[in-house]
Amino acid sequence: VYGASKQAGEERVLAACRTALVVRTSWLYSEYGNNFVKTMLRLADSRPELRVVADQIGSPTYAGDLADALLKMVDQLIELPAEVVHAQYAGIYHYS
């Protein structure tokens, strides 16, 4: 359900704006806020053994790395004529 709702949202964005760029990421973490990495580190300090579910696989993505990648993407695209960006680069991208 979670993945299907994300995909539906992405498809609606692309349908509403055919020139949109959607960037997918996964398991975002940083030193701020709550996230899986911080939770595991906190629990590792307070428990002799950790138990986690085995039916979920992810690729943790550092928020700073994602921000850098997005800025580089914008820097590269801003130099191109709009019609080139619209025709060649609109769509869904993955970064993790």
Side-chain angles (χ1 to χ4, degrees):
V1 171
Y2 174 74
S5 67
K6 285 183 73 164
Q7 182 179 6
E10 293 164 350
E11 289 172 354
R12 290 185 86 176
V13 167
L14 294 171
C17 180
R18 65 178 182 81
T19 60
L21 284 84
V22 174
V23 179
R24 291 179 177 174
T25 191
S26 64
W27 292 27
L28 202 58
Y29 74 94
S30 79
E31 55 274 24
Y32 307 103
N34 296 318
N35 55 70
F36 181 77
V37 173
K38 284 178 65 177
T39 298
M40 290 297 102
L41 291 172
R42 179 178 47 79
L43 292 175
D45 279 342
S46 64
R47 297 181 182 179
E49 182 179 321
L50 297 179
R51 291 176 178 247
V52 296
V53 297
D55 64 345
Q56 296 180 21
I57 298 171
S59 180
T61 305
Y62 178 59
D65 290 343
L66 175 62
D68 288 342
L70 292 172
L71 289 172
K72 287 177 185 173
M73 186 180 204
V74 169
D75 284 344
Q76 290 175 7
L77 293 174
I78 206 162
E79 299 296 324
L80 299 172
E83 61 274 4
V84 171
V85 173
H86 297 170
Q88 295 181 12
Y89 297 100
I92 299 174
Y93 293 83
H94 298 260
Y95 183 88
S96 65

